[in-house]
Amino acid sequence: MSIKLEESWKAVLEEEFEKDYMKKLRSFLQERIMKGSTIYPPNNLIFNAFSHTPFNKVKVVILGQDPYHGKNQAHGLSFSVQKGIQAPPSLQNIFKELKNEYPDFQIPSHGDLSQWADQGVLLLNATLTVEASKPGSHQNQGWEQFTNKVIEVLSERQQNIVFLLWGKYASAKSVMIDQTRHSVLIAPHPSPFSAHSGFFGCNHFRKTNEYLKKNGIEEIDWQIK
């Protein structure tokens, strides 16, 4: 695993890469590769979320759990897939909710959310790698400690970020966020198994922009072209 972290993130996270857990994580990944495992996303896209959304530009955090484990899907942005790949069910439901909130929203022809990331939406997965066709295969190897640090440092050093926490796993992270400095919005996961129990109708995208506007921050244009 080669680490090419965007400079503003490097400044606040550099110490993490010298810690024992990160060294063990590196060894684990190297071992899996040597045994012939295919790991997603590709090495150069593992830290893609940080490249698109510098530390001092973060306005919104959307927290996912694992990268997609199918070929050519994952590219380092939570819920997002590369162009040319059909949008998975959870992402389709995200688009449906956007259509509910904004009737003029046009369902995009692809599932690449890079345009959100470039506006300040940190699309962060709790685990940054996975093995092909093995969901959850890289959980509890150290990534969660790293991404928890990301959430903590954003909470402590930034202000007026909107954290969108969907599902039990993500909502458990709310205790790490200073809610006197930030907005935390919690809803069920957009998965087909849970979207109808409260994700649909949560109005998180409108609420996000209302909060940003109230705090003098440029709103997110959710329309993907």
Side-chain angles (χ1 to χ4, degrees), residues 74-89:
H75 63 137
L77 306 176
S78 64
F79 293 101
S80 179
V81 287
Q82 301 188 62
K83 287 180 179 174
I85 301 295
Q86 183 178 2

Side-chain angles (χ1 to χ4, degrees), residues 5-220:
L5 204 59
E6 187 275 334
E7 286 302 313
S8 66
W9 281 107
K10 195 174 179 182
V12 295
L13 294 173
E14 199 161 25
E15 290 179 7
E16 294 302 299
F17 292 96
E18 301 307 316
K19 291 183 177 177
D20 285 345
Y21 82 88
M22 186 59 77
K23 292 174 182 174
K24 286 177 184 173
L25 174 59
R26 271 207 198 95
S27 297
F28 166 77
L29 292 171
Q30 287 165 355
E31 181 186 316
R32 298 309 300 156
I33 291 166
M34 285 176 68
K35 288 187 174 177
S37 295
T38 299
I39 292 176
Y40 297 134
N43 190 54
N44 64 317
L45 295 176
I46 291 173
F47 296 98
N48 199 24
F50 303 93
S51 300
H52 279 278
T53 315
F55 177 68
N56 56 349
K57 303 286 187 185
V58 178
K59 302 176 184 178
V60 182
V61 177
I62 298 181
L63 186 66
Q65 190 165 359
D66 257 11
Y68 296 118
H69 54 87
K71 188 177 181 182
N72 295 330
Q73 287 183 305
H75 63 137
L77 306 176
S78 64
F79 293 101
S80 179
V81 287
Q82 301 188 62
K83 287 180 179 174
I85 301 295
Q86 183 178 2
S90 291
L91 183 54
Q92 291 178 32
N93 285 339
I94 288 170
F95 291 153
K96 286 177 187 174
E97 174 58 20
L98 273 161
K99 183 74 174 172
N100 290 339
E101 296 184 30
Y102 296 97
D104 292 338
F105 179 82
Q106 299 295 312
I107 303 291
S109 60
H110 62 86
D112 184 345
L113 305 181
S114 298
Q115 291 171 46
W116 292 1
D118 292 336
Q119 294 178 74
V121 182
L122 182 66
L123 296 165
L124 181 68
N125 278 317
T127 304
L128 298 189
T129 56
V130 72
E131 285 177 39
S133 306
K134 294 181 181 177
S137 50
H138 288 187
Q139 290 176 7
N140 303 314
Q141 297 294 337
W143 278 129
E144 293 91 342
Q145 190 170 338
F146 176 74
T147 53
N148 282 350
K149 182 66 177 181
V150 171
I151 295 168
E152 287 172 5
V153 79
L154 284 169
S155 176
E156 289 167 5
R157 302 197 195 184
Q158 301 288 50
Q159 289 217 137
N160 301 324
I161 293 173
V162 182
F163 290 83
L164 301 182
L165 307 180
W166 300 331
K168 288 180 182 177
Y169 182 86
S171 63
K173 306 285 186 182
S174 63
V175 295
M176 301 164 53
I177 300 161
D178 183 346
Q179 297 186 39
T180 66
R181 296 164 63 91
H182 306 282
S183 173
V184 174
L185 300 177
I186 292 173
H189 196 276
S191 153
F193 300 108
S194 53
H196 289 279
S197 62
F199 178 77
F200 290 138
C202 69
N203 287 310
H204 276 190
F205 300 100
R206 276 193 175 278
K207 288 176 180 177
T208 293
N209 276 343
E210 287 166 4
Y211 179 86
L212 294 175
K213 186 177 182 181
K214 184 179 78 174
N215 287 284
I217 301 166
E218 188 176 356
E219 298 164 66
I220 304 297

